[in-house]
Amino acid sequence: MAWSLWNLFIDLTSGGFLPEALLSMISVAVVAMAVIEVVRYIIEEEIYTSRTQDSLTQKEITGSLIKIFIIIIVSVGLEGLVYLFKAGLENISLLLYPATVILASIFALVGLGVYQKLTRSDRRSILEDEKR
């Protein structure tokens, strides 16, 4: 993130194109925040959370998978949005790639919703079978 701020400062002092410098800074900041979020999550799960049992439960595995997947979806969506603005500034014919990236993040979000729906109904049926 410091690198992107430094590049923004260089562009401002050298008289560069401000919107392009800002979009570049935002793009680098989005990737940096995604990496920081993944590292924070891994540290939280592996170091700070003490496990009394050796094997993970299905609920813990599903929760971990969903958290990582949400981080990826948000990062991809934000990158697509930044590229969309950048393509709008440079050349309107370059909008195919950002639109595809945004659609991919939407499909991933829908897929995550379907996964959660299927695993939730599966957990309910397992609990009903255990009660009988």
Side-chain angles (χ1 to χ4, degrees), residues 1-14:
M1 294 219 293
W3 177 79
S4 63
L5 288 173
W6 176 254
N7 280 343
L8 179 65
F9 175 73
I10 295 296
D11 284 341
L12 288 176
T13 56
S14 68

Side-chain angles (χ1 to χ4, degrees), residues 1-5 7-8 21-37 74-75 78-79 82:
M1 294 219 293
W3 177 79
S4 63
L5 288 173
N7 280 343
L8 179 65
L22 286 173
L23 287 174
S24 177
M25 184 189 83
I26 291 170
S27 178
V28 171
V30 165
V31 172
M33 286 190 300
V35 169
I36 289 171
E37 187 66 25
V74 168
S75 300
L78 288 175
E79 278 297 311
V82 168

Side-chain angles (χ1 to χ4, degrees), residues 23 80-99:
L23 287 174
L81 202 58
V82 168
Y83 284 134
L84 184 74
F85 291 132
K86 191 180 282 189
L89 287 174
E90 293 175 4
N91 188 357
I92 202 77
S93 66
L94 298 174
L95 290 178
L96 183 62
Y97 175 72

Side-chain angles (χ1 to χ4, degrees), residues 62 116 118-128:
T62 303
Q116 284 185 310
L118 291 176
T119 57
R120 181 172 292 136
S121 64
D122 185 44
R123 278 186 258 147
R124 286 182 186 156
S125 65
I126 291 172
L127 290 175
E128 288 174 1

Side-chain angles (χ1 to χ4, degrees), residues 26-87:
I26 291 170
S27 178
V28 171
V30 165
V31 172
M33 286 190 300
V35 169
I36 289 171
E37 187 66 25
V38 169
V39 169
R40 184 190 64 82
Y41 173 72
I42 290 172
I43 288 172
E44 179 181 300
E45 284 294 314
E46 297 298 326
I47 295 174
Y48 293 130
T49 305
S50 63
R51 302 208 189 282
T52 57
Q53 55 188 359
D54 290 337
S55 63
L56 297 173
T57 64
Q58 179 67 31
K59 185 177 180 180
E60 290 174 334
I61 293 171
T62 303
S64 299
L65 179 67
I66 289 172
K67 286 180 185 179
I68 295 288
F69 207 60
I70 286 173
I71 292 169
I72 292 170
I73 290 171
V74 168
S75 300
V76 168
L78 288 175
E79 278 297 311
L81 202 58
V82 168
Y83 284 134
L84 184 74
F85 291 132
K86 191 180 282 189

